[in-house]
Amino acid sequence: MNDTRYESGLAKLREIDGAAGEAVIESLQAIAPDLARYTIEFPFGEIYQRPGLDLKSRELATVSALTALGHCAPQLEVHIHGALNVGVTPEQIVEVIIQMAVYAGFPAALNGMGVAKAVFAERGLLDEGTAQ
Amino acid sequence: MNDTRYESGLAKLREIDGAAGEAVIESLQAIAPDLARYTIEFPFGEIYQRPGLDLKSRELATVSALTALGHCAPQLEVHIHGALNVGVTPEQIVEVIIQMAVYAGFPAALNGMGVAKAVFAERGLLDEGTAQ
Amino acid sequence: MNDTRYESGLAKLREIDGAAGEAVIESLQAIAPDLARYTIEFPFGEIYQRPGLDLKSRELATVSALTALGHCAPQLEVHIHGALNVGVTPEQIVEVIIQMAVYAGFPAALNGMGVAKAVFAERGLLDEGTAQ
Amino acid sequence: MNDTRYESGLAKLREIDGAAGEAVIESLQAIAPDLARYTIEFPFGEIYQRPGLDLKSRELATVSALTALGHCAPQLEVHIHGALNVGVTPEQIVEVIIQMAVYAGFPAALNGMGVAKAVFAERGLLDEGTAQ
Amino acid sequence: MNDTRYESGLAKLREIDGAAGEAVIESLQAIAPDLARYTIEFPFGEIYQRPGLDLKSRELATVSALTALGHCAPQLEVHIHGALNVGVTPEQIVEVIIQMAVYAGFPAALNGMGVAKAVFAERGLLDEGTAQ
Amino acid sequence: MNDTRYESGLAKLREIDGAAGEAVIESLQAIAPDLARYTIEFPFGEIYQRPGLDLKSRELATVSALTALGHCAPQLEVHIHGALNVGVTPEQIVEVIIQMAVYAGFPAALNGMGVAKAVFAERGLLDEGTAQ
């Protein structure tokens, strides 16, 4: 049933993205509540529920893809939070963003790192183990 | 003659994009007036004059492409205004942006919807028929 | 229920894309049957079922987005077939592809037109009303 | 007048792209002759006529952009021919393609170099000064 | 010293990409041997040497980014081989490619899966555990 | 040795990009000093040191690619400064950005021109020879 996907998707969204994810959903209610529903049901109700890959690996794959695409700064911010929330370390996030310089060019990596820096600062992580 | 394309293009630009389109043209005068002229002559003096597709369909095609490309927020804003100006409904705009989640991914659709939300709010459209 | 989305999605896929769409689904069975299922359930079981925009407009929006993105030739081929299947005229398809020269550049438009030419030739449409 | 732009554009297309450019135009006649006309009138009848930048620099800029965009192999092939036709050296072409590794990533540079290699081979240039 | 980066990079390239990686390097010798050298020294001599992220995670990040970018099929093929070579399972590769439907759209995921299918077939993996 | 690449790269970065380039490097120190080091060593310590293409042509190629890619506004700003610093004229910068309308579409050209306008204004160049 859709209800199952919606409920499990909403729980997964809260587990991974926390308040940042709920803010995305909330911001859609006035204009396109169905896009909010699809966001909950498909990515979070289906994809992030799949057993074939652990959540840390999924979040690293998302951070790398959003960095490479280059036009997804708001979603990259949400998923850097999400990666940290599920146990990815700041160092691992820094590593995949650096790696994107190879595949998408230095501008994409530099802009992705700027997003990571803002998220790390917000969470008080910049004085710790992220400098390599 | 160029003059014909320029004059008919300028009229079409005003019909479709109104003040937002004229602001784009004006902002180019100090640095690249020829780019302003090309913008009037080619897209508006040629393409939007063509009889093979109605203006509403052209604007929906533009909204879908700019949403999918992802790096064109200022132009998407102008053309959401333009779509509304030529009679596309808010609901139709919301529909093509949602549809882009399929072809360009959820981040592109979410960012496009954010632009639409700002335009709809500016035009007092958010309390009306856009919520589905 | 998922079953409903799957069944109505499969019917819609057959209505729009015909054999070309079923070939995509078939080709996924040996490697990722769940991606086949999602393709049926989400785009065709949800998006193309929505009442807010007619199928012709949806297919034109898809053709314009896939032309603009530039890296989706196989899907563009399927959806040019799809557009024709739901009643979009060859001329309208040509028009949205030409229009993409404005928003995504001439290479994207030229490559999209090459795909359209192959589809039109396959369907015996090139001697007819497509030349403007 | 349009006629002037068309005539000077066609002459410029022949000067820069030679037979490869004419083949592009010819291939459009059966499906979208107006896109052929726009390709002659706007890029070649306007942009490549402009005095503010020499043709060699324009072709190098085009080669770099098409390499970076990544989905324009047919056009990159035409413009590597065009660059050579107007006096850009094979070494300079190789240099801008290598440089794109920095801005668009190694895959874009490697794929662009594959196109250059095919063009150089076709013109008998691979035994000469292109190896650095 | 550069020599160190070159030697360790070449060893890493062979470890990860095997014959497919060496073919890329070989194909560059006649036109741009320095691009071959940079490919060895920077991605493989620097990035894949870094201790902050294991090779499996790096290859999954590369597969996800190349799938999302959409214009990198040859490199995606090399890195799906590479991922398998360092111990990523076929199922994990399928999972990150499916996930890209969310972030880059269904066409990017479908095209990436087509590349994976060809690699899996070449390695005799399609009758095994990849179907979910 | 790495030290040589680092030192010559840093000198080249200062020559080309001046304070804007150093600010990029500085901003990375708290989160990813190795990405700062790679930025100095690879683009500036290797690519911009190569003799096969003059610095003005390299900067024009970079401005054209960053304009075309569309998601690199901060880097485009740095390299418009860089182009001016090595002797490219404002008119030449305007010309390559206009040219990108052909290859990447009008939105990419318009957004690139917006970045150029801000840089030119900052350097007091808008009352001079940039209007054509």
Side-chain angles (χ1 to χ4, degrees), chain A residues 35 66 69 71-72 75, chain B residues 63-71 76 97-98 100-101 103-115, chain C residues 69, chain E residues 102-105:
Chain A
L35 182 56
L66 294 177
L69 287 170
H71 61 265
C72 310
Q75 291 75 34
Chain B
V63 168
S64 76
L66 294 176
T67 298
L69 288 170
H71 61 265
L76 181 57
I97 294 176
I98 289 177
M100 291 306 103
Y103 298 104
F106 278 77
L110 292 168
N111 292 337
M113 200 65 82
V115 176
Chain C
L69 286 170
Chain E
V102 174
Y103 299 105

PDB file of all heavy atoms in Angstrom, chain A residues 35 66 69 71-72 75, chain B residues 63-71 76 97-98 100-101 103-115, chain C residues 69, chain E residues 102-105:
ATOM      1  N   LEU A  35       4.619  16.538  -4.813  1.00  0.00           N
ATOM      2  CA  LEU A  35       6.065  16.367  -4.967  1.00  0.00           C
ATOM      3  C   LEU A  35       6.690  16.027  -3.612  1.00  0.00           C
ATOM      4  O   LEU A  35       7.629  15.229  -3.531  1.00  0.00           O
ATOM      5  CB  LEU A  35       6.704  17.624  -5.569  1.00  0.00           C
ATOM      6  CG  LEU A  35       8.216  17.554  -5.820  1.00  0.00           C
ATOM      7  CD1 LEU A  35       8.608  16.378  -6.702  1.00  0.00           C
ATOM      8  CD2 LEU A  35       8.730  18.860  -6.433  1.00  0.00           C
ATOM      9  N   LEU A  66      25.891  14.421  -6.081  1.00  0.00           N
ATOM     10  CA  LEU A  66      25.423  15.814  -5.996  1.00  0.00           C
ATOM     11  C   LEU A  66      26.582  16.786  -6.165  1.00  0.00           C
ATOM     12  O   LEU A  66      26.425  17.854  -6.765  1.00  0.00           O
ATOM     13  CB  LEU A  66      24.697  16.053  -4.668  1.00  0.00           C
ATOM     14  CG  LEU A  66      23.385  15.285  -4.495  1.00  0.00           C
ATOM     15  CD1 LEU A  66      22.795  15.535  -3.104  1.00  0.00           C
ATOM     16  CD2 LEU A  66      22.363  15.677  -5.566  1.00  0.00           C
ATOM     17  N   LEU A  69      27.317  16.728 -10.010  1.00  0.00           N
ATOM     18  CA  LEU A  69      26.300  17.379 -10.848  1.00  0.00           C
ATOM     19  C   LEU A  69      26.438  18.896 -10.798  1.00  0.00           C
ATOM     20  O   LEU A  69      26.213  19.580 -11.788  1.00  0.00           O
ATOM     21  CB  LEU A  69      24.896  16.952 -10.416  1.00  0.00           C
ATOM     22  CG  LEU A  69      24.524  15.525 -10.808  1.00  0.00           C
ATOM     23  CD1 LEU A  69      23.221  15.112 -10.131  1.00  0.00           C
ATOM     24  CD2 LEU A  69      24.369  15.397 -12.331  1.00  0.00           C
ATOM     25  N   HIS A  71      24.776  21.437  -9.710  1.00  0.00           N
ATOM     26  CA  HIS A  71      23.678  22.399  -9.602  1.00  0.00           C
ATOM     27  C   HIS A  71      22.719  22.040  -8.464  1.00  0.00           C
ATOM     28  O   HIS A  71      21.566  22.433  -8.483  1.00  0.00           O
ATOM     29  CB  HIS A  71      22.917  22.502 -10.929  1.00  0.00           C
ATOM     30  CG  HIS A  71      22.302  21.205 -11.367  1.00  0.00           C
ATOM     31  ND1 HIS A  71      22.921  20.352 -12.241  1.00  0.00           N
ATOM     32  CD2 HIS A  71      21.130  20.609 -11.050  1.00  0.00           C
ATOM     33  CE1 HIS A  71      22.145  19.296 -12.435  1.00  0.00           C
ATOM     34  NE2 HIS A  71      21.061  19.426 -11.724  1.00  0.00           N
ATOM     35  N   CYS A  72      23.204  21.323  -7.475  1.00  0.00           N
ATOM     36  CA  CYS A  72      22.335  20.785  -6.415  1.00  0.00           C
ATOM     37  C   CYS A  72      22.816  21.171  -5.019  1.00  0.00           C
ATOM     38  O   CYS A  72      22.746  20.349  -4.092  1.00  0.00           O
ATOM     39  CB  CYS A  72      22.285  19.253  -6.506  1.00  0.00           C
ATOM     40  SG  CYS A  72      21.915  18.592  -8.142  1.00  0.00           S
ATOM     41  N   GLN A  75      20.466  20.408  -1.964  1.00  0.00           N
ATOM     42  CA  GLN A  75      20.333  18.983  -1.670  1.00  0.00           C
ATOM     43  C   GLN A  75      21.655  18.422  -1.135  1.00  0.00           C
ATOM     44  O   GLN A  75      21.662  17.521  -0.294  1.00  0.00           O
ATOM     45  CB  GLN A  75      19.905  18.222  -2.930  1.00  0.00           C
ATOM     46  CG  GLN A  75      18.479  18.524  -3.362  1.00  0.00           C
ATOM     47  CD  GLN A  75      18.333  19.888  -4.025  1.00  0.00           C
ATOM     48  OE1 GLN A  75      19.234  20.349  -4.711  1.00  0.00           O
ATOM     49  NE2 GLN A  75      17.201  20.529  -3.817  1.00  0.00           N
TER      50      GLN A  75
ATOM     51  N   VAL B  63       9.978  25.922 -19.664  1.00  0.00           N
ATOM     52  CA  VAL B  63       9.997  25.676 -18.218  1.00  0.00           C
ATOM     53  C   VAL B  63      10.554  24.281 -17.928  1.00  0.00           C
ATOM     54  O   VAL B  63      11.371  24.099 -17.015  1.00  0.00           O
ATOM     55  CB  VAL B  63       8.586  25.844 -17.614  1.00  0.00           C
ATOM     56  CG1 VAL B  63       8.524  25.309 -16.183  1.00  0.00           C
ATOM     57  CG2 VAL B  63       8.184  27.324 -17.641  1.00  0.00           C
ATOM     58  N   SER B  64      10.157  23.294 -18.713  1.00  0.00           N
ATOM     59  CA  SER B  64      10.656  21.934 -18.443  1.00  0.00           C
ATOM     60  C   SER B  64      12.155  21.851 -18.714  1.00  0.00           C
ATOM     61  O   SER B  64      12.902  21.280 -17.925  1.00  0.00           O
ATOM     62  CB  SER B  64       9.874  20.903 -19.269  1.00  0.00           C
ATOM     63  OG  SER B  64      10.270  20.895 -20.612  1.00  0.00           O
ATOM     64  N   ALA B  65      12.635  22.442 -19.801  1.00  0.00           N
ATOM     65  CA  ALA B  65      14.059  22.367 -20.119  1.00  0.00           C
ATOM     66  C   ALA B  65      14.905  23.114 -19.089  1.00  0.00           C
ATOM     67  O   ALA B  65      15.945  22.621 -18.656  1.00  0.00           O
ATOM     68  CB  ALA B  65      14.320  22.920 -21.517  1.00  0.00           C
ATOM     69  N   LEU B  66      14.472  24.305 -18.702  1.00  0.00           N
ATOM     70  CA  LEU B  66      15.265  25.090 -17.741  1.00  0.00           C
ATOM     71  C   LEU B  66      15.277  24.411 -16.378  1.00  0.00           C
ATOM     72  O   LEU B  66      16.283  24.447 -15.662  1.00  0.00           O
ATOM     73  CB  LEU B  66      14.716  26.514 -17.634  1.00  0.00           C
ATOM     74  CG  LEU B  66      14.860  27.357 -18.911  1.00  0.00           C
ATOM     75  CD1 LEU B  66      14.198  28.729 -18.710  1.00  0.00           C
ATOM     76  CD2 LEU B  66      16.325  27.544 -19.299  1.00  0.00           C
ATOM     77  N   THR B  67      14.168  23.780 -15.998  1.00  0.00           N
ATOM     78  CA  THR B  67      14.159  23.011 -14.748  1.00  0.00           C
ATOM     79  C   THR B  67      15.142  21.846 -14.835  1.00  0.00           C
ATOM     80  O   THR B  67      15.922  21.603 -13.914  1.00  0.00           O
ATOM     81  CB  THR B  67      12.741  22.480 -14.460  1.00  0.00           C
ATOM     82  OG1 THR B  67      11.857  23.588 -14.304  1.00  0.00           O
ATOM     83  CG2 THR B  67      12.722  21.625 -13.192  1.00  0.00           C
ATOM     84  N   ALA B  68      15.129  21.146 -15.954  1.00  0.00           N
ATOM     85  CA  ALA B  68      15.990  19.980 -16.109  1.00  0.00           C
ATOM     86  C   ALA B  68      17.465  20.360 -16.141  1.00  0.00           C
ATOM     87  O   ALA B  68      18.308  19.667 -15.566  1.00  0.00           O
ATOM     88  CB  ALA B  68      15.622  19.222 -17.387  1.00  0.00           C
ATOM     89  N   LEU B  69      17.805  21.451 -16.810  1.00  0.00           N
ATOM     90  CA  LEU B  69      19.209  21.851 -16.921  1.00  0.00           C
ATOM     91  C   LEU B  69      19.798  22.207 -15.557  1.00  0.00           C
ATOM     92  O   LEU B  69      20.966  21.945 -15.291  1.00  0.00           O
ATOM     93  CB  LEU B  69      19.366  23.022 -17.890  1.00  0.00           C
ATOM     94  CG  LEU B  69      19.177  22.648 -19.364  1.00  0.00           C
ATOM     95  CD1 LEU B  69      19.097  23.913 -20.223  1.00  0.00           C
ATOM     96  CD2 LEU B  69      20.338  21.766 -19.852  1.00  0.00           C
ATOM     97  N   GLY B  70      19.013  22.843 -14.718  1.00  0.00           N
ATOM     98  CA  GLY B  70      19.413  23.012 -13.332  1.00  0.00           C
ATOM     99  C   GLY B  70      20.269  24.222 -13.025  1.00  0.00           C
ATOM    100  O   GLY B  70      20.362  24.621 -11.875  1.00  0.00           O
ATOM    101  N   HIS B  71      20.908  24.822 -14.008  1.00  0.00           N
ATOM    102  CA  HIS B  71      21.780  25.971 -13.720  1.00  0.00           C
ATOM    103  C   HIS B  71      21.213  27.270 -14.277  1.00  0.00           C
ATOM    104  O   HIS B  71      21.956  28.208 -14.521  1.00  0.00           O
ATOM    105  CB  HIS B  71      23.192  25.723 -14.271  1.00  0.00           C
ATOM    106  CG  HIS B  71      23.238  25.524 -15.753  1.00  0.00           C
ATOM    107  ND1 HIS B  71      23.218  24.272 -16.331  1.00  0.00           N
ATOM    108  CD2 HIS B  71      23.288  26.393 -16.788  1.00  0.00           C
ATOM    109  CE1 HIS B  71      23.269  24.420 -17.654  1.00  0.00           C
ATOM    110  NE2 HIS B  71      23.304  25.671 -17.945  1.00  0.00           N
ATOM    111  N   LEU B  76      14.618  30.638 -15.566  1.00  0.00           N
ATOM    112  CA  LEU B  76      13.405  29.907 -15.197  1.00  0.00           C
ATOM    113  C   LEU B  76      12.399  30.851 -14.557  1.00  0.00           C
ATOM    114  O   LEU B  76      11.193  30.786 -14.851  1.00  0.00           O
ATOM    115  CB  LEU B  76      13.765  28.761 -14.234  1.00  0.00           C
ATOM    116  CG  LEU B  76      12.606  27.883 -13.779  1.00  0.00           C
ATOM    117  CD1 LEU B  76      11.867  27.248 -14.942  1.00  0.00           C
ATOM    118  CD2 LEU B  76      13.106  26.792 -12.826  1.00  0.00           C
ATOM    119  N   ILE B  97       7.079  20.743 -13.783  1.00  0.00           N
ATOM    120  CA  ILE B  97       8.241  20.731 -12.867  1.00  0.00           C
ATOM    121  C   ILE B  97       8.296  19.406 -12.110  1.00  0.00           C
ATOM    122  O   ILE B  97       9.364  18.808 -11.971  1.00  0.00           O
ATOM    123  CB  ILE B  97       8.192  21.950 -11.912  1.00  0.00           C
ATOM    124  CG1 ILE B  97       8.360  23.247 -12.726  1.00  0.00           C
ATOM    125  CG2 ILE B  97       9.285  21.835 -10.853  1.00  0.00           C
ATOM    126  CD1 ILE B  97       8.235  24.522 -11.902  1.00  0.00           C
ATOM    127  N   ILE B  98       7.148  18.929 -11.608  1.00  0.00           N
ATOM    128  CA  ILE B  98       7.134  17.611 -10.960  1.00  0.00           C
ATOM    129  C   ILE B  98       7.660  16.537 -11.924  1.00  0.00           C
ATOM    130  O   ILE B  98       8.457  15.677 -11.547  1.00  0.00           O
ATOM    131  CB  ILE B  98       5.701  17.239 -10.506  1.00  0.00           C
ATOM    132  CG1 ILE B  98       5.268  18.103  -9.312  1.00  0.00           C
ATOM    133  CG2 ILE B  98       5.617  15.752 -10.127  1.00  0.00           C
ATOM    134  CD1 ILE B  98       3.832  17.831  -8.847  1.00  0.00           C
ATOM    135  N   MET B 100       9.785  16.666 -14.175  1.00  0.00           N
ATOM    136  CA  MET B 100      11.248  16.683 -14.335  1.00  0.00           C
ATOM    137  C   MET B 100      11.969  15.828 -13.297  1.00  0.00           C
ATOM    138  O   MET B 100      13.117  15.442 -13.520  1.00  0.00           O
ATOM    139  CB  MET B 100      11.779  18.106 -14.328  1.00  0.00           C
ATOM    140  CG  MET B 100      11.388  18.910 -15.559  1.00  0.00           C
ATOM    141  SD  MET B 100      11.834  18.080 -17.141  1.00  0.00           S
ATOM    142  CE  MET B 100      10.228  17.443 -17.686  1.00  0.00           C
ATOM    143  N   ALA B 101      11.317  15.521 -12.176  1.00  0.00           N
ATOM    144  CA  ALA B 101      11.927  14.578 -11.220  1.00  0.00           C
ATOM    145  C   ALA B 101      12.266  13.261 -11.901  1.00  0.00           C
ATOM    146  O   ALA B 101      13.259  12.609 -11.576  1.00  0.00           O
ATOM    147  CB  ALA B 101      10.991  14.345 -10.032  1.00  0.00           C
ATOM    148  N   TYR B 103      13.056  12.835 -15.165  1.00  0.00           N
ATOM    149  CA  TYR B 103      14.057  12.913 -16.235  1.00  0.00           C
ATOM    150  C   TYR B 103      15.367  13.554 -15.801  1.00  0.00           C
ATOM    151  O   TYR B 103      16.419  13.256 -16.363  1.00  0.00           O
ATOM    152  CB  TYR B 103      13.458  13.620 -17.450  1.00  0.00           C
ATOM    153  CG  TYR B 103      12.285  12.819 -17.961  1.00  0.00           C
ATOM    154  CD1 TYR B 103      10.982  13.194 -17.727  1.00  0.00           C
ATOM    155  CD2 TYR B 103      12.512  11.594 -18.586  1.00  0.00           C
ATOM    156  CE1 TYR B 103       9.916  12.396 -18.127  1.00  0.00           C
ATOM    157  CE2 TYR B 103      11.460  10.783 -18.985  1.00  0.00           C
ATOM    158  CZ  TYR B 103      10.174  11.187 -18.750  1.00  0.00           C
ATOM    159  OH  TYR B 103       9.142  10.384 -19.124  1.00  0.00           O
ATOM    160  N   ALA B 104      15.311  14.430 -14.818  1.00  0.00           N
ATOM    161  CA  ALA B 104      16.534  15.112 -14.368  1.00  0.00           C
ATOM    162  C   ALA B 104      16.824  14.902 -12.893  1.00  0.00           C
ATOM    163  O   ALA B 104      17.831  15.412 -12.401  1.00  0.00           O
ATOM    164  CB  ALA B 104      16.432  16.607 -14.671  1.00  0.00           C
ATOM    165  N   GLY B 105      15.983  14.166 -12.205  1.00  0.00           N
ATOM    166  CA  GLY B 105      16.218  13.903 -10.794  1.00  0.00           C
ATOM    167  C   GLY B 105      15.437  14.824  -9.873  1.00  0.00           C
ATOM    168  O   GLY B 105      14.995  15.898 -10.271  1.00  0.00           O
ATOM    169  N   PHE B 106      15.273  14.362  -8.620  1.00  0.00           N
ATOM    170  CA  PHE B 106      14.515  15.152  -7.647  1.00  0.00           C
ATOM    171  C   PHE B 106      15.161  16.503  -7.331  1.00  0.00           C
ATOM    172  O   PHE B 106      14.431  17.487  -7.144  1.00  0.00           O
ATOM    173  CB  PHE B 106      14.299  14.336  -6.360  1.00  0.00           C
ATOM    174  CG  PHE B 106      13.139  13.389  -6.463  1.00  0.00           C
ATOM    175  CD1 PHE B 106      13.246  12.194  -7.169  1.00  0.00           C
ATOM    176  CD2 PHE B 106      11.915  13.676  -5.871  1.00  0.00           C
ATOM    177  CE1 PHE B 106      12.170  11.313  -7.287  1.00  0.00           C
ATOM    178  CE2 PHE B 106      10.830  12.815  -5.968  1.00  0.00           C
ATOM    179  CZ  PHE B 106      10.952  11.632  -6.687  1.00  0.00           C
ATOM    180  N   PRO B 107      16.499  16.610  -7.229  1.00  0.00           N
ATOM    181  CA  PRO B 107      17.045  17.944  -6.913  1.00  0.00           C
ATOM    182  C   PRO B 107      16.655  18.997  -7.946  1.00  0.00           C
ATOM    183  O   PRO B 107      16.252  20.109  -7.582  1.00  0.00           O
ATOM    184  CB  PRO B 107      18.569  17.705  -6.895  1.00  0.00           C
ATOM    185  CG  PRO B 107      18.715  16.267  -6.508  1.00  0.00           C
ATOM    186  CD  PRO B 107      17.557  15.571  -7.186  1.00  0.00           C
ATOM    187  N   ALA B 108      16.737  18.671  -9.225  1.00  0.00           N
ATOM    188  CA  ALA B 108      16.343  19.639 -10.257  1.00  0.00           C
ATOM    189  C   ALA B 108      14.878  20.031 -10.102  1.00  0.00           C
ATOM    190  O   ALA B 108      14.520  21.208 -10.222  1.00  0.00           O
ATOM    191  CB  ALA B 108      16.603  19.058 -11.649  1.00  0.00           C
ATOM    192  N   ALA B 109      14.006  19.050  -9.838  1.00  0.00           N
ATOM    193  CA  ALA B 109      12.579  19.354  -9.668  1.00  0.00           C
ATOM    194  C   ALA B 109      12.341  20.203  -8.423  1.00  0.00           C
ATOM    195  O   ALA B 109      11.562  21.165  -8.444  1.00  0.00           O
ATOM    196  CB  ALA B 109      11.772  18.062  -9.594  1.00  0.00           C
ATOM    197  N   LEU B 110      13.015  19.866  -7.334  1.00  0.00           N
ATOM    198  CA  LEU B 110      12.826  20.627  -6.093  1.00  0.00           C
ATOM    199  C   LEU B 110      13.316  22.063  -6.248  1.00  0.00           C
ATOM    200  O   LEU B 110      12.658  23.004  -5.789  1.00  0.00           O
ATOM    201  CB  LEU B 110      13.566  19.944  -4.935  1.00  0.00           C
ATOM    202  CG  LEU B 110      12.989  18.595  -4.494  1.00  0.00           C
ATOM    203  CD1 LEU B 110      13.953  17.886  -3.550  1.00  0.00           C
ATOM    204  CD2 LEU B 110      11.631  18.771  -3.808  1.00  0.00           C
ATOM    205  N   ASN B 111      14.461  22.238  -6.902  1.00  0.00           N
ATOM    206  CA  ASN B 111      14.967  23.601  -7.089  1.00  0.00           C
ATOM    207  C   ASN B 111      14.072  24.393  -8.047  1.00  0.00           C
ATOM    208  O   ASN B 111      13.836  25.583  -7.844  1.00  0.00           O
ATOM    209  CB  ASN B 111      16.408  23.561  -7.598  1.00  0.00           C
ATOM    210  CG  ASN B 111      17.367  23.034  -6.535  1.00  0.00           C
ATOM    211  OD1 ASN B 111      17.083  23.095  -5.340  1.00  0.00           O
ATOM    212  ND2 ASN B 111      18.499  22.489  -6.971  1.00  0.00           N
ATOM    213  N   GLY B 112      13.573  23.731  -9.089  1.00  0.00           N
ATOM    214  CA  GLY B 112      12.643  24.409  -9.990  1.00  0.00           C
ATOM    215  C   GLY B 112      11.364  24.811  -9.269  1.00  0.00           C
ATOM    216  O   GLY B 112      10.823  25.904  -9.489  1.00  0.00           O
ATOM    217  N   MET B 113      10.885  23.934  -8.384  1.00  0.00           N
ATOM    218  CA  MET B 113       9.666  24.261  -7.651  1.00  0.00           C
ATOM    219  C   MET B 113       9.900  25.452  -6.712  1.00  0.00           C
ATOM    220  O   MET B 113       8.985  26.263  -6.489  1.00  0.00           O
ATOM    221  CB  MET B 113       9.190  23.042  -6.862  1.00  0.00           C
ATOM    222  CG  MET B 113       7.740  23.092  -6.472  1.00  0.00           C
ATOM    223  SD  MET B 113       6.619  23.054  -7.916  1.00  0.00           S
ATOM    224  CE  MET B 113       6.573  21.283  -8.244  1.00  0.00           C
ATOM    225  N   GLY B 114      11.093  25.549  -6.175  1.00  0.00           N
ATOM    226  CA  GLY B 114      11.410  26.711  -5.337  1.00  0.00           C
ATOM    227  C   GLY B 114      11.304  28.015  -6.114  1.00  0.00           C
ATOM    228  O   GLY B 114      10.816  29.031  -5.593  1.00  0.00           O
ATOM    229  N   VAL B 115      11.750  27.996  -7.373  1.00  0.00           N
ATOM    230  CA  VAL B 115      11.616  29.191  -8.216  1.00  0.00           C
ATOM    231  C   VAL B 115      10.144  29.477  -8.485  1.00  0.00           C
ATOM    232  O   VAL B 115       9.689  30.629  -8.392  1.00  0.00           O
ATOM    233  CB  VAL B 115      12.400  29.006  -9.538  1.00  0.00           C
ATOM    234  CG1 VAL B 115      12.174  30.206 -10.461  1.00  0.00           C
ATOM    235  CG2 VAL B 115      13.885  28.811  -9.258  1.00  0.00           C
TER     236      VAL B 115
ATOM    237  N   LEU C  69      19.042  18.075 -22.077  1.00  0.00           N
ATOM    238  CA  LEU C  69      20.033  17.417 -21.223  1.00  0.00           C
ATOM    239  C   LEU C  69      21.184  16.862 -22.049  1.00  0.00           C
ATOM    240  O   LEU C  69      22.327  16.864 -21.611  1.00  0.00           O
ATOM    241  CB  LEU C  69      19.373  16.298 -20.408  1.00  0.00           C
ATOM    242  CG  LEU C  69      18.492  16.794 -19.261  1.00  0.00           C
ATOM    243  CD1 LEU C  69      17.685  15.633 -18.674  1.00  0.00           C
ATOM    244  CD2 LEU C  69      19.331  17.445 -18.153  1.00  0.00           C
TER     245      LEU C  69
ATOM    246  N   VAL E 102      17.129   8.719  -8.542  1.00  0.00           N
ATOM    247  CA  VAL E 102      16.623   9.768  -7.660  1.00  0.00           C
ATOM    248  C   VAL E 102      17.320  11.102  -7.908  1.00  0.00           C
ATOM    249  O   VAL E 102      16.681  12.150  -7.934  1.00  0.00           O
ATOM    250  CB  VAL E 102      16.813   9.373  -6.179  1.00  0.00           C
ATOM    251  CG1 VAL E 102      16.417  10.524  -5.247  1.00  0.00           C
ATOM    252  CG2 VAL E 102      16.047   8.108  -5.854  1.00  0.00           C
ATOM    253  N   TYR E 103      18.622  11.062  -8.100  1.00  0.00           N
ATOM    254  CA  TYR E 103      19.397  12.310  -8.099  1.00  0.00           C
ATOM    255  C   TYR E 103      19.688  12.842  -9.491  1.00  0.00           C
ATOM    256  O   TYR E 103      19.869  14.043  -9.662  1.00  0.00           O
ATOM    257  CB  TYR E 103      20.684  12.121  -7.283  1.00  0.00           C
ATOM    258  CG  TYR E 103      20.317  11.787  -5.871  1.00  0.00           C
ATOM    259  CD1 TYR E 103      20.435  10.494  -5.356  1.00  0.00           C
ATOM    260  CD2 TYR E 103      19.747  12.768  -5.053  1.00  0.00           C
ATOM    261  CE1 TYR E 103      20.013  10.192  -4.073  1.00  0.00           C
ATOM    262  CE2 TYR E 103      19.324  12.471  -3.774  1.00  0.00           C
ATOM    263  CZ  TYR E 103      19.456  11.186  -3.286  1.00  0.00           C
ATOM    264  OH  TYR E 103      19.017  10.898  -2.032  1.00  0.00           O
ATOM    265  N   ALA E 104      19.742  11.993 -10.482  1.00  0.00           N
ATOM    266  CA  ALA E 104      20.055  12.437 -11.845  1.00  0.00           C
ATOM    267  C   ALA E 104      18.979  12.038 -12.843  1.00  0.00           C
ATOM    268  O   ALA E 104      19.104  12.359 -14.029  1.00  0.00           O
ATOM    269  CB  ALA E 104      21.401  11.868 -12.280  1.00  0.00           C
ATOM    270  N   GLY E 105      17.935  11.376 -12.408  1.00  0.00           N
ATOM    271  CA  GLY E 105      16.840  11.007 -13.299  1.00  0.00           C
ATOM    272  C   GLY E 105      16.949   9.585 -13.819  1.00  0.00           C
ATOM    273  O   GLY E 105      18.013   8.982 -13.809  1.00  0.00           O
TER     274      GLY E 105
END
